[in-house]
Amino acid sequence: MLQITDLTYRIGGRMILDHVTLTVPDGYKLGLIGRNGAGKSTLLKLISGEIASDGGDVSLSNRTRMGVVSQEAPAGSRSLLDTVLDADTERAALLHEAENVTDPNRIADIYTRLADIDAHTAEARAASILSGLGFDAEAQQRPCDDFSGGWRMRVALAATLFLQPDLLLLDEPTNHLDLEATIWLENYLINYPGTIILISHDRDLLNKAVKHIAHLTDGKVTMYGGNYDKFAKTRREQMELASKHYEKQVAQQKHIQSFIDRFRAKASKAKQAQSRIKMLEKMGPAIAVVEDRSISFDFPSPKELPPPLINIHNGDVGYEPGKPVLRNISLRIDMDDRIALLGANGNGKSTLAKLLANRLELMAGEKVASGKLRIGYFAQHQTDELRPDETPYQHMAALMPDVIEHKVRAQLGRFAFEGQKGDTKVKDLSGGEKARLLFALMTLDAPHMLILDEPTNHLDIDSRDALNHALNAYEGAVIIISHDPYLIEACADRLILVADGAVTAFDGDVAEYRQYLLNRARDERRADKAEANENGEPARPEDKGNRKALRQQAAEKRKAAAPIKREIENLEKQMEKLTARRDKIKAEMADPALYEPDNATKLTTLQKDLGKIENELAEIETRWMEKQEEYEQKVA
């Protein structure tokens, strides 16, 4: 399919790709990974012919159709559906010719070719892809100019997928997607019949959608079989072996050098010493294993506040008077909460985040927050608020007046801005570095709650792992919106669905939410097929509206049962605390010294405490089971 031989590319004299050789057989699903700036996007541009190499060769099998997502968002008055259909230029040209040609033989040829390329299913295929990427039937009929740049980039992705090329090149395809569209794309790529080369920092996508990994580092590419997790394990083992080899070689060189130093001046040992000098020269210097410098985040943990941090009851919020985006919000947040907000873009996740961050006020209802509550709020658009001609140090120093320089730099160092990097102008920082600077600034005063709206868009895999570790070590509340399912699964223990104007608890984990979305898409496809009329026309938007009404009813049931769900969650927290206290007492009672005569009073106290805790646990577990049954009846 694809053969790359001795490919070389330089930028400003700096070697980006150094005699890269890579073979990608037909049908391979390949993840191309590496640190930001390693040259991944450059390699894709060389494969696609967008730029020319300084040397080497890129060759494709004959008649290989290659698909690359346009870097420019489509625009104009054409509908989204027509824009995607127009991407198939052969189909469009044949249909246009069929309207004007009169030669019956040519007409026959045209319709034969249209049948060969499945032209009769084109509209249904295009609509299905657009639906998966978040555009309902009504949106598909609207012009491109009605949508923002991020949404139009989804249309560009849809157009490329619709072409179903033999070789599909994707560079960070999830950057403009929400979690729902990301999960759809993941499933689409798993079942894609062609060859894929995928650049992504989404660990879940690299684990599920690819079968091979190409690791680009220091201008070289190394191939690994398996998904990302297998690559990471293999790479770690290789590094450990190389490190052991280095240590062994250093020890051997020291031993030889010791012999030379002891005996080179003795005539009887001169020959042996000279022999060892030559041996040492042949060995060459020991080369240490140098791993890429790891990125780390360190969020300062706040002092604990009494619960709740925030309590909202029957709240409405929006931007225009009388037109709330979300209604009847009832939500309580405590310091130990880890909450992920789910729901397609445009349904109000960011609106809810702004309400919690005090960027929006309630239109109706009640919101009570702790008077001492400090909030750290991160949103991607905030990178535009950074001052481009100032450095990270200047940004931090402005927030730390009268603080000596080394303490300002110590705060920056917690987010990998050491030395020269702290004195680099913001305009010269990468997207990921700007995101890290925002993390450093927003957590300076040790907030009690972090609200993170798509924090990973410009972070590579290592930085995402660092963010994951930092969030799990952080002792305040976390509210996160992300299209990265791995981050949500690792950081969140409560899932809240924001959809159809409502805010409801999702009773399940990320895997169950993934399956819920896939089942819903499957059911809608079946319903579309069943609702198609005798002429083969697709289901009408009003028919899909009926299914939306059913989903709305289900959402209303979940909302009505939300108070019961909160009781269940509160009981579960009580059980966790009591279980931890019980286990601690049992561990103390396992100490043989406790049963000495001198410790009789302590033993009696522990036995009483244990009995009391076990009674409380039994009562709470009974209430928990009753509430679970009540909840299930409400949402049935």
Side-chain angles (χ1 to χ4, degrees), residues 98-210:
E99 291 178 357
N100 299 287
V101 71
T102 57
D103 181 0
N105 292 325
R106 179 54 186 156
I107 292 174
D109 290 341
I110 289 171
Y111 281 99
T112 298
R113 181 55 185 162
L114 286 170
D116 289 342
I117 63 175
D118 287 333
H120 66 288
T121 66
E123 186 169 333
R125 287 187 286 113
S128 175
I129 292 170
L130 283 167
S131 176
L133 293 175
F135 300 100
D136 61 21
E138 184 273 331
Q140 292 175 25
Q141 301 303 322
R142 289 165 54 193
C144 284
D145 285 346
D146 278 6
F147 296 88
S148 66
W151 282 96
R152 284 187 281 128
M153 285 308 301
R154 294 194 191 200
V155 180
L157 173 60
T160 304
L161 297 179
F162 170 67
L163 289 173
Q164 206 168 79
D166 303 310
L167 175 60
L168 179 61
L169 305 181
L170 295 174
D171 191 347
E172 291 293 351
T174 62
N175 268 0
H176 299 285
L177 304 184
D178 50 31
L179 176 63
E180 288 67 22
T182 296
I183 289 172
W184 176 87
L185 178 64
E186 173 192 292
N187 192 62
Y188 184 90
L189 296 181
I190 288 171
N191 296 296
Y192 191 76
T195 304
I196 299 172
I197 300 180
L198 168 69
I199 297 175
S200 180
H201 297 309
D202 185 326
R203 186 193 290 256
D204 251 31
L205 192 61
L206 291 170
N207 274 332
K208 291 183 168 66
V210 306

Side-chain angles (χ1 to χ4, degrees), residues 84 87 100 113 154 170 244 326 597 602 610-611:
V84 172
N100 299 287
R113 181 55 185 162
R154 294 194 191 200
L170 295 174
K244 289 177 182 177
L326 300 171
K602 183 178 180 181
L610 180 61

Side-chain angles (χ1 to χ4, degrees), residues 230-242:
K230 185 175 181 182
F231 152 78
K233 181 176 183 291
T234 304
R235 170 82 169 160
R236 187 166 54 250
E237 290 170 350
Q238 289 175 344
M239 298 293 281
E240 289 171 357
L241 284 173

Side-chain angles (χ1 to χ4, degrees), residues 10 53 131 182 216 243 265 267 307 323 353 357 430 443 511 516 526 572 597 610:
R10 297 177 180 85
S53 68
S131 176
T182 296
L216 178 56
S243 180
K323 296 182 178 179
S430 68
T443 58
Y516 159 76
R526 288 176 178 174
E572 287 172 346
L610 180 61

Side-chain angles (χ1 to χ4, degrees), residues 4-168:
I4 299 172
T5 308
D6 287 331
L7 195 65
T8 302
Y9 188 79
R10 297 177 180 85
I11 296 178
R14 184 171 71 92
M15 185 71 78
I16 303 298
L17 300 174
D18 184 7
H19 295 88
V20 168
T21 296
L22 178 67
T23 301
V24 183
D26 188 24
Y28 257 43
K29 292 179 179 176
L30 179 71
L32 179 58
I33 68 169
R35 283 285 179 89
N36 284 342
K40 303 184 298 297
S41 296
T42 299
L43 181 55
L44 244 59
K45 289 177 181 178
L46 288 165
I47 293 171
S48 68
E50 183 179 339
I51 59 176
S53 68
D54 295 323
D57 181 59
V58 176
S59 61
L60 291 167
S61 304
N62 289 336
R63 295 190 175 183
T64 296
R65 295 178 302 118
M66 184 161 45
V68 182
V69 179
S70 171
Q71 296 302 304
E72 293 186 11
S77 60
R78 296 280 285 171
S79 72
L80 303 190
L81 184 60
D82 286 338
T83 300
V84 172
L85 290 170
D86 289 347
D88 188 345
T89 54
E90 181 185 10
R91 172 184 171 276
L94 288 169
L95 289 175
H96 178 73
E97 186 180 357
E99 291 178 357
N100 299 287
V101 71
T102 57
D103 181 0
N105 292 325
R106 179 54 186 156
I107 292 174
D109 290 341
I110 289 171
Y111 281 99
T112 298
R113 181 55 185 162
L114 286 170
D116 289 342
I117 63 175
D118 287 333
H120 66 288
T121 66
E123 186 169 333
R125 287 187 286 113
S128 175
I129 292 170
L130 283 167
S131 176
L133 293 175
F135 300 100
D136 61 21
E138 184 273 331
Q140 292 175 25
Q141 301 303 322
R142 289 165 54 193
C144 284
D145 285 346
D146 278 6
F147 296 88
S148 66
W151 282 96
R152 284 187 281 128
M153 285 308 301
R154 294 194 191 200
V155 180
L157 173 60
T160 304
L161 297 179
F162 170 67
L163 289 173
Q164 206 168 79
D166 303 310
L167 175 60
L168 179 61

Side-chain angles (χ1 to χ4, degrees), residues 289-303:
V289 177
V290 180
E291 294 191 63
D292 293 335
R293 185 176 64 86
S294 60
I295 297 296
S296 64
F297 299 147
D298 182 10
F299 296 140
S301 290
K303 292 182 179 178

